[in-house]
Amino acid sequence: MASASQTKLLTDLLNIESVKVTKYQNIAGIGLILHLESLTEEAFCDRCGNQSPKIHQNHRYLVKDLPISGQPVYLEVNRRQFKCENCKKPFSEELEFVRKRRKYTTRLATEIIRQVLADDLKTVAENNDVSSEEIETMLADRAKELRKKKPLGLRKLGIDEIALVKGQGNYCAVLVDLEQGKVIDILSERSQEKIMEVMIYWGLEVLDKIEYVSIDLWKPYKSLVEKLMPNATVVADRFHVMKQINEELDQQRKTTKRAAQKEKSKKKKEKILSVLSKSKYALLKNECNLNEKQKEKLEQVKEVCPVLGKMQELKEKFREIFEQEQNGLSGLLKISDWLKEAVTYYRESKKTIVRWLGEIISYFDERITNGVVEGINNKLKLIKRSAYGFRNFDNFRIRVLLS
Ligand SMILES: [Zn+2]
């Protein structure tokens, strides 16, 4: 029989508020078994919410808990059944530290999930003496909880996408709290309906407080924001604008190369081709980040292919506008000038910029971008690589949200 001071010590060690330890056993080869009793005398009916003090029957069983000094620990819990005086039916009480129908405590699950984020599932299962299936259940439980969570206090939202499997056009949408640089959610596909579903769940308490939404240049996102977040200003993500300009510049580089192939003068043809060889990054990279060799390459391209030179210059000019302008009006004036100058060089980008002008100008108010998504994307790549033992998108998502 354990003394009162022993059980008091074990209760303190256990550190679970609503229970006390009444006795313990130490069984060789199994571990420490702590017998628990609830400190509360009543429970709330899960049907009607009525508080009931009338115990119908006791239900004792073992659950696994965190180890103590390397020893496995099991808790013998008593999940009592109460009789509701209102419904006249029995109900089983909620225990805050162990979910119904689970054979492990919530804090053990939390610890195991933490380990799974850093290691593969099989190893964690072995180290903790639980089955892979149990870990999958822990993850599924946590996924359900995460889905219920709402991003209260969200002011600046970023909607972006990342390729799940590169080159397969398999995109998933990422919702980011731009102020905190944190992923709010990651959705298995990039569709308006899917995102809408999540946001409708957030409800007006969240949606009404969103002030800015940064999006890539995709119309459905814009109409989504207009529909659901009437107080939000849509901002076109500057990196996506630059991406479009860069793509058009690269297209021109390829066109120039193809044209040179057909050049009749052999000398001229060889000159253009040699100058254009390995010129991609000299043209596309931010000029301030070019190394000496790339700078030299850029000078040669400018001399031999003046159209590409002009386009590179215009690209840099647009980037400077993003860097330097401090308000919407000066941004607008600079962009108007740019459009006049770029009209014959950047036909496609011009159309896009004109179509998104309002949203591009909005950037200058708060200077929000989805730049943080780039960093998140790199982290996701690491997760994808190490996510063996993760069978489906849900598990990948939990890993993203918890890491
Ligand atoms: Zn009831």
Side-chain angles (χ1 to χ4, degrees), residues 65-78:
D65 193 26
L66 295 170
I68 293 180
S69 299
Q71 275 202 92
V73 173
Y74 293 87
L75 309 178
E76 196 218 48
V77 301
N78 180 12

Side-chain angles (χ1 to χ4, degrees), residues 142-181:
R142 191 51 55 94
K144 242 183 255 163
E145 276 167 35
L146 287 171
R147 215 165 286 137
K148 276 189 217 148
K149 239 166 113 184
K150 295 180 183 187
L152 296 165
L154 176 66
R155 290 201 314 130
K156 297 174 183 176
L157 168 70
I159 308 177
D160 214 311
E161 68 210 14
I162 50 171
L164 262 188
V165 186
K166 224 182 156 83
Q168 287 194 9
N170 194 355
Y171 286 99
C172 55
V174 195
L175 307 176
V176 186
D177 183 330
L178 294 177
E179 278 184 307
Q180 295 188 30

Side-chain angles (χ1 to χ4, degrees), residues 44-52 83-89 91:
F44 292 95
C45 170
D46 49 9
R47 271 182 296 265
C48 72
N50 189 41
Q51 199 174 22
S52 170
K83 184 94 180 253
C84 176
E85 285 154 341
N86 193 22
C87 308
K88 311 280 179 225
K89 280 180 189 153
F91 67 92

Side-chain angles (χ1 to χ4, degrees), residues 245 249 252 256 283 287 298-318 337-346:
I245 291 174
L249 172 55
Q252 181 62 34
T256 311
L283 282 164
E287 198 171 325
L298 180 59
E299 283 315 308
Q300 292 167 353
V301 174
K302 280 183 171 176
E303 210 187 296
V304 177
C305 315
V307 172
L308 280 176
K310 179 70 183 169
M311 286 178 80
Q312 187 274 347
E313 216 175 274
L314 282 164
K315 181 257 297 178
E316 285 295 310
K317 239 186 204 173
F318 208 96
D337 289 345
W338 188 93
L339 288 171
K340 276 176 222 144
E341 210 181 335
V343 63
T344 53
Y345 298 97
Y346 281 105

Side-chain angles (χ1 to χ4, degrees), residues 227-245:
K227 245 182 265 172
L228 295 178
M229 289 160 258
N231 302 324
T233 303
V234 178
V235 179
D237 181 49
R238 65 177 266 193
F239 293 105
H240 283 89
V241 178
M242 288 315 297
K243 197 173 143 204
Q244 159 109 46
I245 291 174

